[in-house]
Amino acid sequence: QVQLVESGGGLVQAGGSLRLSCVASGRTFSIVAMGWFRQAPGKEREFVAAISWRGGSTHFADSVKGRFTISRDNFKNTVDLQMNSLKPEDTAVYYCVAGVVKMSQYDYWGQGTQVTVSS
């Protein structure tokens, strides 16, 4: 099992920045990728960004490309999501995820952290 705990959510004005962090514990040696999903009120959960644990390759949703970056620290078992130029439509609960099989399959989810962007 892998446990994930997010932090760093909050309220920010449009155009501002926030940094989300996620720390993994448990069977962290099994992680092959970590990332972030989000779910806005009344909408389906959607992929935001992911990073491979060994090579560090990254993937982003088109909606956040050029504004968000993702990084990881293999020693601390953390993954961060730096969000810049935030828009009201980025408002959502953001979930940290971890996969132990492949990058597109996420087996573990955190409880989520709220990000609210005011216009």
Side-chain angles (χ1 to χ4, degrees):
Q1 294 288 330
V2 175
Q3 294 79 42
L4 303 171
V5 178
E6 305 100 334
S7 62
L11 173 65
V12 65
Q13 289 188 332
S17 298
L18 276 178
R19 188 176 185 89
L20 304 183
S21 294
C22 175
V23 58
S25 60
R27 297 173 62 89
T28 56
F29 61 87
S30 63
I31 294 174
V32 299
M34 289 186 69
W36 296 87
F37 278 66
R38 69 185 181 185
Q39 187 167 20
K43 295 188 177 181
E44 293 187 353
R45 197 170 291 185
E46 64 175 0
F47 170 79
V48 176
I51 186 166
S52 65
W53 212 234
R54 288 190 174 84
S57 61
T58 58
H59 296 274
F60 295 92
D62 288 343
S63 58
V64 306
K65 281 181 182 176
R67 300 188 297 122
F68 291 12
T69 58
I70 188 169
S71 59
R72 92 267 192 241
D73 186 322
N74 300 63
F75 295 103
K76 295 181 180 179
N77 294 317
T78 59
V79 62
D80 290 349
L81 184 70
Q82 177 66 42
M83 306 184 292
N84 299 326
S85 303
L86 283 162
K87 305 175 182 179
E89 51 264 43
D90 294 317
T91 295
V93 177
Y94 283 70
Y95 297 89
C96 178
V97 297
V100 298
V101 176
K102 56 183 178 179
M103 197 161 176
S104 59
Q105 180 179 326
Y106 300 102
D107 309 283
Y108 300 99
W109 292 69
Q111 291 191 332
T113 185
Q114 177 70 46
V115 171
T116 303
V117 185
S118 63
S119 57

